[in-house]
Amino acid sequence: MALIVQKYGGTSVGSVERIEAVADKIIGYKQQGNDLVVVVSAMSGETNRLTELAKQIDPRARGRELDVLLTTGEQVTIALLSMALQKRGFPARSYTGGQVRILTDDAHNKARILSIDADNIRRDLELGRIVVVAGFQGVDADGNITTLGRGGSDTTGVALAAALKADECQIFTDVDGVYTTDPRVVAEARRLERITFEEMLEMASLGSKVLQIRAVEFAGKYNVPLRVLSSFEEGEGTLITSDDNEEDSVEQAVISGIAFNRDEAQLTINGVPDTPGVAYEILGPVSDANIEVDMIVQNIGADGSTDFTFTVHRNDYEAALEILQNTAEKLGAREVSGNNRIVKLSIVGVGMRSHAGIASRMFEILAREGINILMISTSEIKVSVVVDEKYLELGVRALHDGFDLADDSEE
Ligand code: ADP
Ligand code: ASP
Ligand code: MG
């Protein structure tokens, strides 16, 4: 008998009919003799709807009250799913994050899980119950309701699997696994049978929203066997594995996948003095405003001055621009400019470690399509470029094609 933690995303529980179908699916696993803990998201569109409501009251609504509001979405689905299971004659019990006691820090809207008290759940499992837990939520040490950031139900699932030492964490969603790129953008994208934690973490960090970044971090750290599967069709899905298990695969592909991020914006400050501490003077105030900086490029000009360009999340663009304008005045910089119509395209693969020339091949593919590269950044297992947003689809398709990702010869 195995202990399985399953997570069903918004589309999978998007209507009463789908919730009933999920109940049938869960019962199938239960009847095979498994113990089940099920994490659910809000019904699809619900978290967006609630966010919109809050914005109608206050466009800048955030913090504690927003969390109280957003967590209602998941509370609806845990109750409905538990009712559907009970109707079918299977004892089930719903829990909010606070009722389990998923303890988080107090960073409202993007809280981190600190610990999970799983005693209630263990007791229910011993009594033969199916346990249904609200994803995306927890409580801080003072009992305030918190949320884990968009897509956070994945993290609830993985964290519960780690706490319960589950045999597997299964993420059920509206695609049948992790693909070489978002199948909504490239129809020829191919499902991967496996991907390493390291690659999945890069893919998630670089914009593939199929799994929340923290869920992958957690799974890697606690070695939780993690699988992404379809709620709607049978299949093996994609197994996220550690490197060690990769040895038995015949030939490792150099590039595993292509990620993209539409949420980028670029800012440039031209003609700042080329002196020690200038990077800190530019980026210090940005980070003090809690704005995360992603890529950074500095060019030394011939006249002894420096041009400095960096990227931030598109939501932070206006705030970052204002800060930069203040900094420009202080430093006597020549000008400040920005562009919030850019995107980041990335190729990811552990195979890059042992293959040279991957970056230049990427640049060649983009050049053939006439796509101008604005910024470049590389690490051991990825290459990212910033391009104009109008090239997103063209660029992703060209790279997918150019690196032969649709061809499944290596599997
Ligand atoms: P859920 O509501 O189940 O959490 P999400 O919308 O968060 O589902 O994640 C699933 C979606 O992720 C898919 O519908 C797909 O469009 C998108 N996606 C992005 N990149 C990938 C990828 N590489 N492989 C599979 N799906 C991807
Ligand atoms: N309902 C939340 C969201 O839409 C959490 C999740 O679905 O994972 O972001
Ligand atoms: Mg999701």
Side-chain angles (χ1 to χ4, degrees):
M1 190 164 79
L3 169 57
I4 305 175
V5 175
Q6 299 187 331
K7 177 258 170 176
Y8 291 88
T11 318
S12 314
V13 293
S15 64
V16 165
E17 293 70 34
R18 288 196 169 167
I19 291 174
E20 303 252 25
V22 165
D24 289 332
K25 203 172 173 74
I26 293 167
I27 287 168
Y29 283 92
K30 178 78 182 156
Q31 285 174 328
Q32 287 165 17
N34 300 299
D35 278 340
L36 283 155
V37 175
V38 181
V39 174
V40 280
S41 291
M43 295 166 84
S44 57
E46 181 63 6
T47 310
N48 288 345
R49 188 185 73 85
L50 294 168
T51 307
E52 271 314 305
L53 282 180
K55 279 193 181 155
Q56 284 175 33
I57 302 276
D58 178 358
R60 289 176 311 172
R62 52 198 300 276
R64 185 180 187 279
E65 305 316 322
L66 184 63
D67 280 349
V68 173
L69 178 69
L70 294 187
T71 48
T72 61
E74 271 73 10
Q75 190 165 338
V76 169
T77 42
I78 54 170
L80 293 176
L81 178 60
S82 301
M83 288 173 197
L85 290 165
Q86 287 167 6
K87 183 176 80 175
R88 287 162 173 76
F90 285 78
R93 239 173 161 222
S94 67
Y95 285 91
T96 63
Q99 285 174 323
V100 173
R101 207 142 193 277
I102 297 180
L103 182 70
T104 70
D105 62 18
D106 59 4
H108 284 289
N109 316 150
K110 51 174 183 207
R112 279 181 181 273
I113 296 177
L114 299 175
S115 65
I116 295 182
D117 177 356
D119 288 352
N120 286 334
I121 295 181
R122 282 198 195 92
R123 201 189 47 230
D124 281 336
L125 291 174
E126 271 163 31
L127 293 171
R129 290 174 176 153
I130 297 169
V131 179
V132 182
V133 179
F136 173 60
Q137 54 180 264
V139 281
D140 71 10
D142 296 324
N144 297 300
I145 294 174
T146 55
T147 63
L148 309 179
R150 296 305 302 266
S153 300
D154 296 335
T155 304
T156 306
V158 175
L160 273 171
L164 292 162
K165 299 196 169 53
D167 296 289
E168 186 161 293
C169 180
Q170 302 173 339
I171 306 284
F172 286 94
T173 183
D174 54 7
V175 278
D176 64 347
V178 178
Y179 277 65
T180 44
T181 193
D182 189 339
R184 284 176 214 268
V185 172
V186 180
E188 300 76 38
R190 182 172 48 87
R191 179 176 60 84
L192 298 164
E193 268 171 32
R194 333 163 125 199
I195 183 168
T196 65
F197 283 118
E198 205 183 0
E199 288 169 314
M200 193 62 238
L201 193 58
E202 284 285 5
M203 291 280 281
S205 309
L206 295 167
S208 297
K209 290 182 179 133
V210 60
L211 284 175
Q212 202 198 29
I213 303 169
R214 283 183 194 166
V216 188
E217 271 171 8
F218 238 103
K221 186 165 164 195
Y222 295 100
N223 242 317
V224 177
L226 183 61
R227 197 181 281 278
V228 176
L229 302 138
S230 165
S231 302
F232 306 108
E233 30 184 292
E234 295 295 311
E236 291 294 297
T238 300
L239 185 66
I240 328 287
T241 61
S242 53
D243 274 331
D244 312 347
N245 302 341
E246 281 301 303
E247 279 160 19
D248 52 13
S249 66
V250 190
E251 162 110 34
Q252 179 70 47
V254 180
I255 301 300
S256 292
I258 293 165
F260 52 85
N261 192 351
R262 304 174 200 265
D263 303 326
E264 301 266 331
Q266 174 186 315
L267 297 107
T268 300
I269 180 165
N270 288 111
V272 291
D274 183 22
T275 51
V278 78
Y280 174 66
E281 275 186 85
I282 294 168
L283 294 181
V286 177
S287 88
D288 289 346
N290 249 330
I291 297 175
E292 241 175 80
V293 170
D294 180 15
M295 287 158 104
I296 304 171
V297 172
Q298 181 181 291
N299 295 312
I300 317 274
D303 58 353
S305 73
T306 287
D307 300 337
F308 201 92
T309 301
F310 58 94
T311 62
V312 297
H313 193 285
R314 232 179 245 198
N315 291 345
D316 293 324
Y317 176 65
E318 269 84 21
L321 201 55
E322 205 180 306
I323 292 169
L324 205 58
Q325 267 144 1
N326 289 336
T327 310
E329 265 174 49
K330 249 195 255 162
L331 295 178
R334 199 164 51 241
E335 68 171 343
V336 165
S337 59
N339 182 358
N340 62 353
R341 306 184 72 91
I342 56 153
V343 291
K344 184 166 71 176
L345 314 181
S346 309
I347 55 174
V348 174
V350 289
M352 264 186 234
R353 286 201 179 109
S354 49
H355 286 76
I358 301 301
S360 58
R361 187 148 146 223
M362 178 187 199
F363 307 151
E364 185 196 347
I365 293 166
L366 296 174
R368 267 206 312 258
E369 301 295 334
I371 299 176
N372 189 37
I373 298 171
L374 304 170
M375 291 173 87
I376 299 169
S377 119
T378 65
S379 79
E380 242 191 326
I381 66 161
K382 69 119 205 258
V383 184
S384 298
V385 296
V386 168
V387 300
D388 190 296
E389 66 178 9
K390 69 178 180 225
Y391 293 129
L392 184 125
E393 276 84 8
L394 177 64
V396 173
R397 288 197 192 113
L399 291 171
H400 197 268
D401 213 36
F403 282 105
D404 290 328
L405 292 182
D407 171 12
D408 57 2
S409 55
E410 87 271 13
E411 276 192 7

